Amino acid sequence: MIRHVEVAIEVVRPRDAATFHEWFTVTDLADRHDRGDDGPHWYEAERAVNVQGSDYEWRLLLARDEDGRPVGAAALQLPLLDNLQQGFVEVSVHPGARRRGLGRALLGELEAYAGSRGRTRLLGEVLHALDGSPRPAALFAKAGGYVEQLLEVRRDLPLPMPEETIDALEATTLGRSAGYRLVSYQTAPPEELLEPRAGLAQRISVDAPAGESGLEEERWDVDRVGRTYAEQVAMGRRLWGTMALAPDGSAAGVSELVVSRHDPVRAYQFDTVVERAHRGHRIGLLMKLANQRVFQREWPRARVLHTWNAADNTHMVAINDLMGFRPTELEGLWGKDLG
């Protein structure tokens, strides 16, 4: 246990349910406050991924005030398969305990730990209002020496999407997508498509705009893909996906979305990617519409679909605009080189 700025900072063990619940409560409360109660609140999902373990090392910190009350929480995620110089950090402070140096103390502990693990760069997500005005996290990050590397825009689609809109948009793809075949699935692709799915995951890590973040190509294989889908199940999520197969049978693209049984009204767009050789055939739109049609029929409780895109990802933004997504929030990826 570390004493600093009149608080005690302790390492949280996810299998200790009581302490982990305290950690999550502070994180969730801070997020609700900063977003205006507009974010996911998945205690069960967070605990599942931390207890189960994954392809990342996690370090969670909890800060208590002099009366033992939890007032700060922080998390460090270290990739173990690729991006071995990087780490991802998150710091949350109870709204009533801010501007006392607590956030800086938590961040300093995680920076020191990341450095001891050979990491030379940390990245973290920072929220902005849609008009670009900074929220508290941006001011905190800047004061800590972090600089914005990439700007993403969150867009929301009210659900259900009208069937006539789906029909009309699908009709615009027919002349350009001839010869391509869609394979839709739940939970995970069929076994024979896991290897091409791994290739598409690797493609996403190359093609997704990374700004100045320094993120490198990820390493994906069938085992890693399988672990990722198993993790979604452990987190209480249901997944709908569609892969597009080219006329020669090769994988041309994939699109997936998820919803949590712990938060059934919010759905989240996950990966969407089209191989470069198959772009220009409106496959991205076609796959997303296929998912949307099945998802809405099988999960009618959902009221909104969230997606995030880099501000300069004009192709995917154009698809989302066609579907009716509208901007709601800005999210920056900020980075700092550790000395």
Side-chain angles (χ1 to χ4, degrees), residues 87-256:
F88 300 90
V89 67
E90 179 181 0
V91 176
S92 303
V93 177
H94 189 292
R98 294 179 176 177
R99 306 187 67 82
R100 302 178 189 175
L102 174 55
R104 289 194 299 274
L106 286 165
L107 182 59
E109 292 295 332
L110 291 185
E111 288 178 345
Y113 182 80
S116 75
R117 305 292 287 175
R119 307 300 164 125
T120 59
R121 185 172 178 79
L122 287 184
L123 299 166
E125 295 177 348
V126 174
L127 298 176
H128 305 269
L130 191 57
D131 63 5
S133 58
R135 289 181 172 175
L139 302 177
F140 172 74
K142 187 174 183 180
Y146 288 74
V147 177
E148 187 171 87
Q149 312 293 311
L150 176 70
L151 182 65
E152 292 193 318
V153 182
R154 189 187 102 189
R155 288 176 168 81
D156 293 350
L157 175 66
L159 298 179
M161 185 178 176
E163 286 286 333
E164 57 269 26
T165 301
I166 297 176
D167 292 340
L169 289 174
E170 277 187 343
T172 69
T173 71
L174 297 180
R176 298 167 66 177
S177 61
Y180 288 88
R181 179 168 63 91
L182 300 184
V183 178
S184 294
Y185 52 87
Q186 287 192 34
T187 306
E191 186 175 355
E192 66 271 15
L193 293 181
L194 288 177
E195 185 170 351
R197 178 64 182 92
L200 290 167
Q202 190 141 340
R203 168 58 60 193
I204 292 170
S205 74
V206 175
D207 286 356
E212 302 299 320
S213 66
L215 290 172
E216 304 166 353
E217 182 177 356
E218 297 176 356
R219 296 166 47 197
W220 284 88
D221 57 21
V222 171
D223 287 342
R224 185 175 183 180
V225 167
R227 289 195 301 273
T228 300
Y229 285 119
E231 184 177 275
Q232 299 304 316
V233 172
M235 295 172 76
R237 294 173 175 174
R238 284 190 63 182
L239 179 146
W240 285 260
T242 296
M243 288 182 66
L245 302 183
D248 64 1
S250 63
V254 67
S255 184
E256 294 176 342

Side-chain angles (χ1 to χ4, degrees), residues 159 185-187 232 237-242 255-259 266-272 287-296 299 302 305-306 323 325:
L159 298 179
Y185 52 87
Q186 287 192 34
T187 306
Q232 299 304 316
R237 294 173 175 174
R238 284 190 63 182
L239 179 146
W240 285 260
T242 296
S255 184
E256 294 176 342
L257 63 84
V258 303
V259 69
R266 302 175 188 267
Y268 295 83
Q269 179 67 53
F270 273 22
D271 292 347
T272 298
M287 293 187 300
K288 294 184 76 166
L289 293 173
N291 282 342
Q292 199 65 43
R293 190 185 296 279
V294 176
F295 169 68
Q296 291 185 173
W299 197 275
L305 175 62
H306 302 296
M323 292 179 65
F325 284 89

